[in-house]
């Protein structure tokens, strides 16, 4: 997300068919949502981007390309291929322990845990390091080190 500026739903919906490592871009044509569909039920849905400009090819930086190559390698080594098909899309790039695609809420919880752990560590060790602010996947955070 940091290297590509993809929206969180676009990252969650990214499939290996969307990734072109040889030419260095990802093709964005959809996003993944996980929505309530009843009193106690949720379901995955693939949605098109909100606007025509949301359909695009996003160039990959070297760091993003390397991260995706590492993700592919890890998925193969750990046999973590997603086993679910959603509205015709399958083989998602990022999956959870149950081999289902990440959802936006999971990304938010991961970011919160990273911030909480970091802030807890700097409290333990003291010093002049400033704590990290709350980070939301849709927001921008500017961290000043001075």
């Amino acid at each position: 997300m940091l290297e590509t500026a993809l929206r969180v739903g676009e990252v969650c919906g990214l499939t290996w068919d969307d990734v072109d490592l040889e030419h260095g871009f990802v093709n964005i044509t959809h996003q993944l949502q996980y929505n309530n569909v009843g009193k106690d039920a949720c379901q995955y849905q693939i949605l098109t981007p909100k606007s025509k400009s949301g359909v695009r090819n996003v160039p990959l930086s070297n760091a993003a390309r390397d991260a995706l190559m590492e993700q592919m390698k890890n998925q193969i080594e750990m046999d973590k291929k997603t086993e679910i098909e959603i509205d015709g899309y399958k083989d998602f790039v990022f999956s959870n322990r149950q081999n289902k695609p990440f959802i936006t809420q999971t990304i938010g919880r991961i970011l919160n845990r990273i911030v909480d752990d970091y802030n807890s560590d700097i409290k333990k060790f003291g010093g002049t390091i400033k704590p990290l602010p709350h980070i939301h996947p849709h927001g921008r955070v500017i961290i000043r080190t001075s």
Side-chain angles (χ1 to χ4, degrees):
M1 284 174 48
L2 288 172
E3 289 289 327
T4 61
L6 293 180
R7 296 172 182 93
V8 67
E10 294 168 343
V11 169
C12 293
L14 199 62
T15 68
W16 286 113
D17 286 341
D18 302 320
V19 177
D20 186 336
L21 293 172
E22 183 179 338
H23 296 102
F25 69 87
V26 291
N27 186 28
I28 302 301
T29 60
H30 60 276
Q31 60 181 321
L32 179 68
Q33 298 277 321
Y34 189 71
N35 297 315
N36 291 331
V37 291
K39 183 179 175 190
D40 293 318
C42 293
Q43 75 177 18
Y44 289 103
Q45 289 180 295
I46 296 290
L47 302 174
T48 57
K50 293 178 183 176
S51 68
K52 287 183 182 180
S53 62
V55 175
R56 64 205 187 280
N57 284 332
V58 177
L60 294 172
S61 66
N62 288 337
R65 187 176 174 279
D66 291 348
L68 285 167
M69 288 186 346
E70 185 70 19
Q71 176 67 11
M72 181 182 282
K73 177 182 160 208
N74 289 340
Q75 268 189 349
I76 291 167
E77 286 177 359
M78 296 187 299
D79 195 27
K80 291 287 288 180
K81 185 174 182 174
T82 52
E83 299 170 355
I84 187 172
E85 185 172 320
I86 304 164
D87 298 332
Y89 291 86
K90 60 184 178 180
D91 202 15
F92 293 88
V93 173
F94 302 104
S95 59
N96 63 22
R97 291 180 189 138
Q98 291 80 35
N99 292 341
K100 293 181 180 173
F102 272 152
I103 58 175
T104 57
Q105 296 88 334
T106 302
I107 303 294
R109 283 194 296 272
I110 289 168
L111 290 173
N112 286 337
R113 191 169 42 238
I114 290 168
V115 168
D116 290 347
D117 289 350
Y118 177 86
N119 289 344
S120 176
D121 283 350
I122 64 169
K123 274 186 186 176
K124 284 182 201 173
F125 300 110
T128 59
I129 299 172
K130 293 181 181 179
L132 290 174
H134 173 76
I135 299 173
H136 189 276
H138 292 288
R140 291 181 185 212
V141 175
I142 299 171
I143 299 173
R144 291 183 174 84
T145 57
S146 57

